[in-house]
Amino acid sequence: MGVREGFEELYGTAPEGVWAAPGRVNLIGEYTDFNEGFVMPLALPHTAVAAVSRRTDGVLRLHSADIEGPVVELHVDELVPLTNTSWAAYPAGVVWALREAGHAVTGADVHLASTVPTGAGLSSSAALEVVTALALNDLYELGLTGPELARLAQRAENDFVGVPCGIMDQTASACCTEGHALHLDCRDLSIRQVPFDLASQGLALLVVDTRVKHALGDGAYAERREGCEEGARQLGVSHLRDVAYEELDAALARLSDERVRRYVRHVVSDDHRVDRVITLLDAGDVRAIGPVLTDGHASLRDDLRISCEELDLVVATANAAGALGARMTGGGFGGSAIVLVESADVDTVTKAVTEAFGSAGYRAPRVFPAVPSAGARRLS
């Protein structure tokens, strides 16, 4: 059953429209966004889809086709941050953020369904937020741009849900375009669409969802964010973005805490890796980004220490089987890795990784191509 039909069955009338917003995978630039650095995500074909209608009585009704349970009924005047721990906090937080920003959202009926894998580090939560924000923006004629919707969605996740994420996930979902990666400057939020047509180059980017999420990751994001902020404070800069790559060794020598030193080294070097990837893509040398991806994985594994055995196995196995490069992507401790391969080698690399997981006693991973896709849009 589609979301339109599901909406009609739930609420007894047709929705005013249907919208979609994608998940994302990050090509390069990890844990750099909250350091006001650079990231380079691309939108996936997997989307959160929402059928939505306005209400004028202050009632917000939310339902997910993917989660068993009744319609969640809330009141827009009674939305309070950090009080809802269910999936409904994400769309409810968007309503709260819109109203906090002075937009007269007077309620809605919402029915959601998503094909973005949850727990895979592919921003399923950002997709829920952005699709809700876009639908309400259109229905209430708020006139907000994609970057503005992304900022509101981020505020919903930061302040209402309580997750201290950066701006990358929501911006990717709201602003990516088909056939491109998005170069985002997380300081001024300027964006550039970088052509990334892999198929025309005889290449593919695989996502390998390990289907694991280790409890060690609980709180790790916030701890690393705190460590990065401490590094910036010790170095006398507002954010690690301000530490030049050429001055990294000198900066590290000024830090006494080994943990903070590792975090600073990763962030500054990953910003530099984003620059390297941009330079290579602008030159049309797509294959040459492979080693940059693998180098980024080593930094995430050794300096940020957010990898795990399953992710390391994907990277090592894929590269040994002929991949051009690979790295973990997202928050770490499970989730997904990306693998750049020749199109002719997709089956070989997929088979090698799947067999390696079987030999290690792990659950079979989910492998699919990351086709650079369109950002949030209205479907009907």
mmCIF file of all heavy atoms in Angstrom, residues 23-55:
data_model
loop_
_atom_site.group_PDB
_atom_site.id
_atom_site.type_symbol
_atom_site.label_atom_id
_atom_site.label_comp_id
_atom_site.label_asym_id
_atom_site.label_seq_id
_atom_site.Cartn_x
_atom_site.Cartn_y
_atom_site.Cartn_z
ATOM 1 N N GLY A 23 17.720 9.598 2.083
ATOM 2 C CA GLY A 23 18.866 9.398 2.947
ATOM 3 C C GLY A 23 20.110 9.830 2.205
ATOM 4 O O GLY A 23 20.064 10.248 1.039
ATOM 5 N N ARG A 24 21.238 9.748 2.861
ATOM 6 C CA ARG A 24 22.483 10.160 2.221
ATOM 7 C C ARG A 24 23.609 9.220 2.603
ATOM 8 O O ARG A 24 23.559 8.515 3.619
ATOM 9 C CB ARG A 24 22.841 11.588 2.597
ATOM 10 C CG ARG A 24 23.217 11.789 4.078
ATOM 11 C CD ARG A 24 24.712 11.708 4.318
ATOM 12 N NE ARG A 24 25.047 11.692 5.749
ATOM 13 C CZ ARG A 24 25.336 10.613 6.432
ATOM 14 N NH1 ARG A 24 25.263 9.426 5.861
ATOM 15 N NH2 ARG A 24 25.668 10.673 7.709
ATOM 16 N N VAL A 25 24.631 9.211 1.783
ATOM 17 C CA VAL A 25 25.879 8.585 2.162
ATOM 18 C C VAL A 25 26.961 9.636 1.982
ATOM 19 O O VAL A 25 26.876 10.476 1.070
ATOM 20 C CB VAL A 25 26.156 7.308 1.331
ATOM 21 C CG1 VAL A 25 26.466 7.634 -0.127
ATOM 22 C CG2 VAL A 25 27.278 6.488 1.951
ATOM 23 N N ASN A 26 27.925 9.648 2.861
ATOM 24 C CA ASN A 26 28.957 10.682 2.809
ATOM 25 C C ASN A 26 30.196 10.141 2.100
ATOM 26 O O ASN A 26 30.790 9.156 2.543
ATOM 27 C CB ASN A 26 29.311 11.140 4.230
ATOM 28 C CG ASN A 26 30.167 12.394 4.225
ATOM 29 O OD1 ASN A 26 30.133 13.174 3.277
ATOM 30 N ND2 ASN A 26 30.933 12.591 5.273
ATOM 31 N N LEU A 27 30.561 10.782 1.011
ATOM 32 C CA LEU A 27 31.724 10.348 0.242
ATOM 33 C C LEU A 27 33.012 10.572 1.012
ATOM 34 O O LEU A 27 33.868 9.696 1.093
ATOM 35 C CB LEU A 27 31.757 11.082 -1.103
ATOM 36 C CG LEU A 27 32.866 10.686 -2.069
ATOM 37 C CD1 LEU A 27 32.705 9.229 -2.519
ATOM 38 C CD2 LEU A 27 32.870 11.618 -3.286
ATOM 39 N N ILE A 28 33.165 11.745 1.605
ATOM 40 C CA ILE A 28 34.378 12.070 2.362
ATOM 41 C C ILE A 28 34.085 13.265 3.268
ATOM 42 O O ILE A 28 33.233 14.098 2.960
ATOM 43 C CB ILE A 28 35.570 12.376 1.413
ATOM 44 C CG1 ILE A 28 36.915 12.337 2.141
ATOM 45 C CG2 ILE A 28 35.344 13.665 0.654
ATOM 46 C CD1 ILE A 28 37.365 10.951 2.537
ATOM 47 N N GLY A 29 34.784 13.335 4.394
ATOM 48 C CA GLY A 29 34.592 14.420 5.351
ATOM 49 C C GLY A 29 33.734 13.975 6.519
ATOM 50 O O GLY A 29 32.531 14.214 6.541
ATOM 51 N N GLU A 30 34.342 13.323 7.505
ATOM 52 C CA GLU A 30 33.587 12.729 8.615
ATOM 53 C C GLU A 30 33.939 13.418 9.928
ATOM 54 O O GLU A 30 35.118 13.645 10.222
ATOM 55 C CB GLU A 30 33.932 11.242 8.710
ATOM 56 C CG GLU A 30 32.768 10.364 9.037
ATOM 57 C CD GLU A 30 31.727 10.315 7.922
ATOM 58 O OE1 GLU A 30 31.967 9.650 6.915
ATOM 59 O OE2 GLU A 30 30.664 10.946 8.098
ATOM 60 N N TYR A 31 32.931 13.759 10.704
ATOM 61 C CA TYR A 31 33.084 14.482 11.973
ATOM 62 C C TYR A 31 33.711 15.863 11.740
ATOM 63 O O TYR A 31 34.317 16.446 12.631
ATOM 64 C CB TYR A 31 33.926 13.680 12.974
ATOM 65 C CG TYR A 31 33.165 12.560 13.659
ATOM 66 C CD1 TYR A 31 32.732 11.445 12.951
ATOM 67 C CD2 TYR A 31 32.878 12.614 15.016
ATOM 68 C CE1 TYR A 31 32.044 10.411 13.570
ATOM 69 C CE2 TYR A 31 32.191 11.581 15.645
ATOM 70 C CZ TYR A 31 31.771 10.490 14.907
ATOM 71 O OH TYR A 31 31.088 9.475 15.519
ATOM 72 N N THR A 32 33.581 16.374 10.540
ATOM 73 C CA THR A 32 34.096 17.703 10.201
ATOM 74 C C THR A 32 32.999 18.758 10.243
ATOM 75 O O THR A 32 33.291 19.944 10.368
ATOM 76 C CB THR A 32 34.721 17.696 8.795
ATOM 77 O OG1 THR A 32 33.789 17.110 7.875
ATOM 78 C CG2 THR A 32 36.007 16.887 8.767
ATOM 79 N N ASP A 33 31.734 18.345 10.143
ATOM 80 C CA ASP A 33 30.677 19.355 9.997
ATOM 81 C C ASP A 33 30.519 20.219 11.235
ATOM 82 O O ASP A 33 30.416 21.441 11.138
ATOM 83 C CB ASP A 33 29.354 18.734 9.554
ATOM 84 C CG ASP A 33 28.803 17.664 10.479
ATOM 85 O OD1 ASP A 33 29.522 17.219 11.402
ATOM 86 O OD2 ASP A 33 27.644 17.260 10.269
ATOM 87 N N PHE A 34 30.550 19.633 12.428
ATOM 88 C CA PHE A 34 30.393 20.455 13.628
ATOM 89 C C PHE A 34 31.677 21.212 13.968
ATOM 90 O O PHE A 34 31.690 22.052 14.860
ATOM 91 C CB PHE A 34 29.903 19.627 14.828
ATOM 92 C CG PHE A 34 30.804 18.491 15.232
ATOM 93 C CD1 PHE A 34 31.968 18.722 15.935
ATOM 94 C CD2 PHE A 34 30.478 17.182 14.902
ATOM 95 C CE1 PHE A 34 32.790 17.681 16.326
ATOM 96 C CE2 PHE A 34 31.294 16.127 15.285
ATOM 97 C CZ PHE A 34 32.463 16.380 16.003
ATOM 98 N N ASN A 35 32.741 20.923 13.222
ATOM 99 C CA ASN A 35 33.974 21.699 13.333
ATOM 100 C C ASN A 35 34.044 22.806 12.280
ATOM 101 O O ASN A 35 35.102 23.371 12.032
ATOM 102 C CB ASN A 35 35.184 20.773 13.195
ATOM 103 C CG ASN A 35 35.373 19.885 14.418
ATOM 104 O OD1 ASN A 35 35.717 20.362 15.491
ATOM 105 N ND2 ASN A 35 35.123 18.591 14.256
ATOM 106 N N GLU A 36 32.883 23.085 11.641
ATOM 107 C CA GLU A 36 32.749 24.108 10.605
ATOM 108 C C GLU A 36 33.681 23.850 9.425
ATOM 109 O O GLU A 36 34.168 24.779 8.776
ATOM 110 C CB GLU A 36 32.941 25.528 11.168
ATOM 111 C CG GLU A 36 31.841 25.935 12.125
ATOM 112 C CD GLU A 36 31.790 27.432 12.409
ATOM 113 O OE1 GLU A 36 32.714 28.155 11.980
ATOM 114 O OE2 GLU A 36 30.821 27.864 13.055
ATOM 115 N N GLY A 37 33.905 22.562 9.139
ATOM 116 C CA GLY A 37 34.760 22.178 8.038
ATOM 117 C C GLY A 37 33.974 21.859 6.780
ATOM 118 O O GLY A 37 32.937 22.472 6.491
ATOM 119 N N PHE A 38 34.452 20.869 6.036
ATOM 120 C CA PHE A 38 33.893 20.538 4.736
ATOM 121 C C PHE A 38 33.424 19.088 4.709
ATOM 122 O O PHE A 38 34.039 18.214 5.324
ATOM 123 C CB PHE A 38 34.938 20.750 3.640
ATOM 124 C CG PHE A 38 35.525 22.133 3.634
ATOM 125 C CD1 PHE A 38 36.748 22.393 4.242
ATOM 126 C CD2 PHE A 38 34.839 23.182 3.047
ATOM 127 C CE1 PHE A 38 37.277 23.670 4.249
ATOM 128 C CE2 PHE A 38 35.361 24.464 3.050
ATOM 129 C CZ PHE A 38 36.590 24.715 3.661
ATOM 130 N N VAL A 39 32.351 18.852 3.972
ATOM 131 C CA VAL A 39 31.829 17.498 3.792
ATOM 132 C C VAL A 39 31.397 17.345 2.340
ATOM 133 O O VAL A 39 31.242 18.328 1.615
ATOM 134 C CB VAL A 39 30.636 17.209 4.731
ATOM 135 C CG1 VAL A 39 31.071 17.182 6.183
ATOM 136 C CG2 VAL A 39 29.528 18.244 4.527
ATOM 137 N N MET A 40 31.191 16.092 1.931
ATOM 138 C CA MET A 40 30.829 15.846 0.545
ATOM 139 C C MET A 40 29.876 14.659 0.442
ATOM 140 O O MET A 40 30.242 13.579 -0.009
ATOM 141 C CB MET A 40 32.082 15.594 -0.284
ATOM 142 C CG MET A 40 31.887 15.871 -1.749
ATOM 143 S SD MET A 40 33.461 15.897 -2.587
ATOM 144 C CE MET A 40 32.863 16.176 -4.245
ATOM 145 N N PRO A 41 28.628 14.843 0.849
ATOM 146 C CA PRO A 41 27.646 13.758 0.777
ATOM 147 C C PRO A 41 26.983 13.682 -0.597
ATOM 148 O O PRO A 41 27.084 14.604 -1.427
ATOM 149 C CB PRO A 41 26.624 14.156 1.834
ATOM 150 C CG PRO A 41 26.643 15.654 1.789
ATOM 151 C CD PRO A 41 28.075 16.035 1.497
ATOM 152 N N LEU A 42 26.272 12.596 -0.821
ATOM 153 C CA LEU A 42 25.396 12.474 -1.978
ATOM 154 C C LEU A 42 24.113 11.806 -1.527
ATOM 155 O O LEU A 42 24.098 11.004 -0.584
ATOM 156 C CB LEU A 42 26.072 11.692 -3.103
ATOM 157 C CG LEU A 42 26.653 10.322 -2.770
ATOM 158 C CD1 LEU A 42 25.783 9.223 -3.380
ATOM 159 C CD2 LEU A 42 28.065 10.199 -3.323
ATOM 160 N N ALA A 43 23.019 12.172 -2.182
ATOM 161 C CA ALA A 43 21.709 11.616 -1.823
ATOM 162 C C ALA A 43 21.568 10.217 -2.403
ATOM 163 O O ALA A 43 22.044 9.928 -3.503
ATOM 164 C CB ALA A 43 20.594 12.509 -2.331
ATOM 165 N N LEU A 44 20.901 9.357 -1.653
ATOM 166 C CA LEU A 44 20.625 7.993 -2.087
ATOM 167 C C LEU A 44 19.258 7.922 -2.770
ATOM 168 O O LEU A 44 18.410 8.795 -2.577
ATOM 169 C CB LEU A 44 20.633 7.054 -0.872
ATOM 170 C CG LEU A 44 21.978 6.851 -0.185
ATOM 171 C CD1 LEU A 44 21.784 6.132 1.141
ATOM 172 C CD2 LEU A 44 22.928 6.081 -1.089
ATOM 173 N N PRO A 45 19.010 6.857 -3.542
ATOM 174 C CA PRO A 45 17.666 6.665 -4.090
ATOM 175 C C PRO A 45 16.640 6.309 -3.019
ATOM 176 O O PRO A 45 15.436 6.406 -3.261
ATOM 177 C CB PRO A 45 17.835 5.499 -5.072
ATOM 178 C CG PRO A 45 19.260 5.138 -5.104
ATOM 179 C CD PRO A 45 19.962 5.857 -4.002
ATOM 180 N N HIS A 46 17.101 5.903 -1.836
ATOM 181 C CA HIS A 46 16.215 5.515 -0.738
ATOM 182 C C HIS A 46 15.645 6.772 -0.078
ATOM 183 O O HIS A 46 16.396 7.697 0.248
ATOM 184 C CB HIS A 46 16.980 4.686 0.287
ATOM 185 C CG HIS A 46 17.716 3.527 -0.311
ATOM 186 N ND1 HIS A 46 18.867 3.699 -1.062
ATOM 187 C CD2 HIS A 46 17.471 2.196 -0.277
ATOM 188 C CE1 HIS A 46 19.291 2.504 -1.471
ATOM 189 N NE2 HIS A 46 18.465 1.592 -1.011
ATOM 190 N N THR A 47 14.335 6.787 0.139
ATOM 191 C CA THR A 47 13.689 8.004 0.620
ATOM 192 C C THR A 47 12.700 7.739 1.752
ATOM 193 O O THR A 47 12.175 6.640 1.894
ATOM 194 C CB THR A 47 12.899 8.701 -0.515
ATOM 195 O OG1 THR A 47 11.922 7.788 -1.044
ATOM 196 C CG2 THR A 47 13.815 9.170 -1.627
ATOM 197 N N ALA A 48 12.466 8.794 2.525
ATOM 198 C CA ALA A 48 11.300 8.864 3.394
ATOM 199 C C ALA A 48 10.217 9.592 2.610
ATOM 200 O O ALA A 48 10.481 10.643 2.013
ATOM 201 C CB ALA A 48 11.617 9.612 4.676
ATOM 202 N N VAL A 49 9.014 9.039 2.589
ATOM 203 C CA VAL A 49 7.899 9.617 1.844
ATOM 204 C C VAL A 49 6.794 9.961 2.836
ATOM 205 O O VAL A 49 6.496 9.178 3.748
ATOM 206 C CB VAL A 49 7.393 8.634 0.766
ATOM 207 C CG1 VAL A 49 6.234 9.241 -0.011
ATOM 208 C CG2 VAL A 49 8.527 8.254 -0.180
ATOM 209 N N ALA A 50 6.196 11.130 2.651
ATOM 210 C CA ALA A 50 5.155 11.589 3.574
ATOM 211 C C ALA A 50 3.937 12.069 2.803
ATOM 212 O O ALA A 50 4.059 12.869 1.869
ATOM 213 C CB ALA A 50 5.680 12.719 4.451
ATOM 214 N N ALA A 51 2.769 11.576 3.185
ATOM 215 C CA ALA A 51 1.495 12.123 2.740
ATOM 216 C C ALA A 51 0.997 13.023 3.868
ATOM 217 O O ALA A 51 0.954 12.599 5.028
ATOM 218 C CB ALA A 51 0.502 11.004 2.457
ATOM 219 N N VAL A 52 0.647 14.259 3.540
ATOM 220 C CA VAL A 52 0.383 15.256 4.579
ATOM 221 C C VAL A 52 -0.799 16.140 4.185
ATOM 222 O O VAL A 52 -0.976 16.480 3.008
ATOM 223 C CB VAL A 52 1.623 16.159 4.799
ATOM 224 C CG1 VAL A 52 1.395 17.110 5.976
ATOM 225 C CG2 VAL A 52 2.872 15.312 5.043
ATOM 226 N N SER A 53 -1.575 16.516 5.196
ATOM 227 C CA SER A 53 -2.603 17.544 5.058
ATOM 228 C C SER A 53 -2.528 18.488 6.249
ATOM 229 O O SER A 53 -2.103 18.087 7.346
ATOM 230 C CB SER A 53 -4.008 16.929 5.002
ATOM 231 O OG SER A 53 -4.238 16.274 3.769
ATOM 232 N N ARG A 54 -2.928 19.723 6.024
ATOM 233 C CA ARG A 54 -2.957 20.704 7.105
ATOM 234 C C ARG A 54 -4.155 20.480 8.033
ATOM 235 O O ARG A 54 -5.166 19.911 7.635
ATOM 236 C CB ARG A 54 -3.074 22.122 6.529
ATOM 237 C CG ARG A 54 -1.834 22.624 5.831
ATOM 238 C CD ARG A 54 -2.144 23.873 5.025
ATOM 239 N NE ARG A 54 -2.976 23.536 3.866
ATOM 240 C CZ ARG A 54 -3.363 24.411 2.951
ATOM 241 N NH1 ARG A 54 -3.012 25.682 3.072
ATOM 242 N NH2 ARG A 54 -4.107 24.029 1.932
ATOM 243 N N ARG A 55 -4.009 20.970 9.250
ATOM 244 C CA ARG A 55 -5.122 21.055 10.196
ATOM 245 C C ARG A 55 -5.127 22.474 10.772
ATOM 246 O O ARG A 55 -4.072 23.121 10.847
ATOM 247 C CB ARG A 55 -4.973 20.054 11.338
ATOM 248 C CG ARG A 55 -5.018 18.594 10.909
ATOM 249 C CD ARG A 55 -4.882 17.671 12.121
ATOM 250 N NE ARG A 55 -6.041 17.790 12.994
ATOM 251 C CZ ARG A 55 -7.064 16.932 13.001
ATOM 252 N NH1 ARG A 55 -7.071 15.889 12.188
ATOM 253 N NH2 ARG A 55 -8.080 17.088 13.830
#
